[in-house]
Amino acid sequence: MRQLFVKAAAAIALLGVSAVPGVAAAQAKNFDLQSVFGLQVPSIGQSPVKWAERVALMTNNEVKIKVHGAGEFVPPFEVFGAVSNGSIPMGFDWVGYWADKIPVANLVGSMPFGPNPELFLGWMFQGGGLEIIQKAYDPHNVKILPCHMVAAEAGGWFNKEIKTVDDIKGLNMRIAGLGAKAMAKLGANVQLVPAGEIFVSLERGRIEAAEFSAPQLDIGLGLQKIAKYYYFPGWHQPSSWDTIIINMDVWKKFTPKQQQIMTEACLANITYNWYDQLNAQVNAIEQIEKAGVKVQRFPEPVLAALSKAATEVMEEEAKKDALFAEAYQSLTAYIKRVGRWNDLQALPRN
């Protein structure tokens, strides 16, 4: 892996001669950003690239950000630490990857039976969510910008049919986050296999089941070639966040206007990625079915058992970390109160 060279000073570039006498030409600031994902990955791969393009456009090229794919500077799971210590000025992540350092990131990354994307969006920006999360990031010298709403995941790929809760006992499954702890409570043997190794692990029988993401991303792993069943719903992650993370010292050097632009660019990113993801899911499911995979829902008793186990897990985690507890209480209260709107507006289906 090539060595990371941190820029000693921002590159300076003329953007053109000002039409107003006496006004100095703007200086361009250049920054590197490393993603935890490959740039070729559908949706999440190009998300930070599109954000960087929006920032450049809205700042009239005063802020230029070069986006690098997974592993270009540091291994994917080291991006947070590199941003925290300033080795890399910016990163793009799935927030749940940092749960070992920031427990509340697990809740934001994958709250089992949690809010739908609409409610999660409201809580993050209107319900006090971002303020709670930033408090957890402050000791690490990192600014967090929620920048990509991830659609509901699938429940996972299985080579064993799940008819009852007993079918989970002894199941070897790749699953991440709080959902993994809930599955473990029901007797599954859980492990976090890197995305690039899921296919081989499932093919060779080292695992019998695996969850990764939504159909749009899952199909790129080729699991439809070796899995028999594709289960829904994605109970373990009905919605989640990918974020831009910025070294706080770097963040503070941006002008208030540039900071606002970077935030507004994320809001535009969320909108684009949301409708782009929705458009892609059914196409992927149809391709998966054509490959011979049976697409079906988990039985209701299984979902009920998973819900009970997940609640126990989250209550246990809340006892260990004050900010996790604050976010859990805040988010569950928001879902109950604001979610009433969705309940009142729910239409019957034939």
Side-chain angles (χ1 to χ4, degrees):
M1 183 181 295
R2 66 187 176 90
Q3 297 296 316
L4 169 62
F5 292 98
V6 182
K7 293 180 173 62
I12 299 175
L14 288 176
L15 298 180
V17 178
S18 172
V20 181
V23 177
Q27 293 181 333
K29 298 178 181 178
N30 293 265
F31 301 90
D32 288 311
L33 178 153
Q34 184 185 312
S35 176
V36 299
F37 307 108
L39 302 188
Q40 76 284 356
V41 176
S43 185
I44 56 177
Q46 284 295 298
S47 187
V49 176
K50 293 184 180 298
W51 173 75
E53 291 172 351
R54 291 185 171 98
V55 171
L57 175 67
M58 296 164 71
T59 62
N60 195 29
N61 286 324
E62 288 179 11
V63 179
K64 294 183 178 181
I65 300 161
K66 182 174 176 57
V67 178
H68 303 266
E72 287 200 31
F73 292 149
V74 297
F77 292 165
E78 294 181 14
V79 167
F80 184 87
V83 172
S84 176
N85 65 32
S87 298
I88 303 173
M90 303 178 184
F92 180 76
D93 64 21
W94 172 59
V95 66
Y97 283 146
W98 321 128
D100 59 333
K101 301 178 181 68
I102 305 173
V104 72
N106 227 348
L107 190 73
V108 180
S110 58
M111 181 180 179
F113 297 92
N116 63 22
E118 183 180 10
L119 285 172
F120 221 170
L121 188 67
W123 177 76
M124 181 63 74
F125 293 111
Q126 294 291 331
L130 183 55
E131 289 78 7
I132 296 172
I133 299 163
Q134 186 59 61
K135 284 193 293 184
Y137 277 64
D138 282 342
H140 299 274
N141 201 40
V142 174
K143 173 69 177 177
I144 180 173
L145 297 178
C147 211
H148 185 124
M149 169 66 70
V150 183
E153 294 196 345
W157 303 84
F158 291 74
N159 275 327
K160 172 183 177 182
E161 189 170 9
I162 304 299
K163 296 180 179 179
T164 70
V165 177
D166 287 339
D167 292 321
I168 294 176
K169 295 177 182 177
L171 182 75
N172 296 315
M173 182 174 184
R174 185 273 185 199
I175 182 170
L178 297 170
K181 296 185 178 184
M183 287 289 286
K185 272 187 174 289
L186 297 183
N189 301 315
V190 300
Q191 53 188 295
L192 184 56
V193 178
E197 299 176 19
I198 295 175
F199 184 95
V200 172
S201 296
L202 194 60
E203 182 183 41
R204 296 183 180 177
R206 292 199 291 264
I207 55 176
E208 303 163 274
E211 64 78 31
F212 177 60
S213 190
Q216 177 191 19
L217 274 71
D218 277 2
I219 197 170
L221 297 183
L223 301 181
Q224 66 276 11
K225 300 175 184 177
I226 53 173
K228 297 178 181 178
Y229 304 96
Y230 194 39
Y231 274 97
F232 287 86
W235 60 273
H236 61 293
Q237 194 169 313
S239 59
S240 69
W241 288 97
D242 292 341
T243 69
I244 298 291
I245 50 175
I246 303 173
N247 177 274
M248 189 65 79
D249 296 327
V250 173
W251 173 255
K252 289 178 179 178
K253 291 178 182 178
F254 290 115
T255 67
K257 182 178 180 180
Q258 289 170 341
Q259 292 177 350
Q260 182 180 359
I261 284 172
M262 296 168 88
T263 302
E264 295 290 338
C266 274
L267 298 181
N269 229 41
I270 291 167
T271 301
Y272 170 80
N273 287 312
W274 182 239
Y275 68 70
D276 179 60
Q277 288 179 85
L278 288 183
N279 239 29
Q281 304 313 326
V282 172
N283 290 337
I285 290 173
E286 290 173 350
Q287 291 181 53
I288 289 166
E289 288 177 319
K290 287 180 181 178
V293 178
K294 188 172 182 180
V295 176
Q296 59 191 45
R297 285 178 58 86
F298 288 111
E300 291 304 316
V302 172
L303 289 172
L306 286 167
S307 179
K308 182 176 182 294
T311 298
E312 292 174 359
V313 166
M314 289 184 286
E315 289 176 349
E316 290 166 0
E317 294 298 311
K319 292 177 181 177
K320 300 175 186 176
D321 184 82
L323 283 174
F324 186 103
E326 183 180 355
Y328 181 54
Q329 293 165 5
S330 173
L331 186 49
T332 51
Y334 189 89
I335 293 170
K336 182 177 181 180
R337 179 173 178 267
V338 181
R340 185 185 179 205
W341 170 252
N342 289 336
D343 296 338
L344 289 170
Q345 292 288 13
L347 299 173
R349 293 188 178 184
N350 295 327

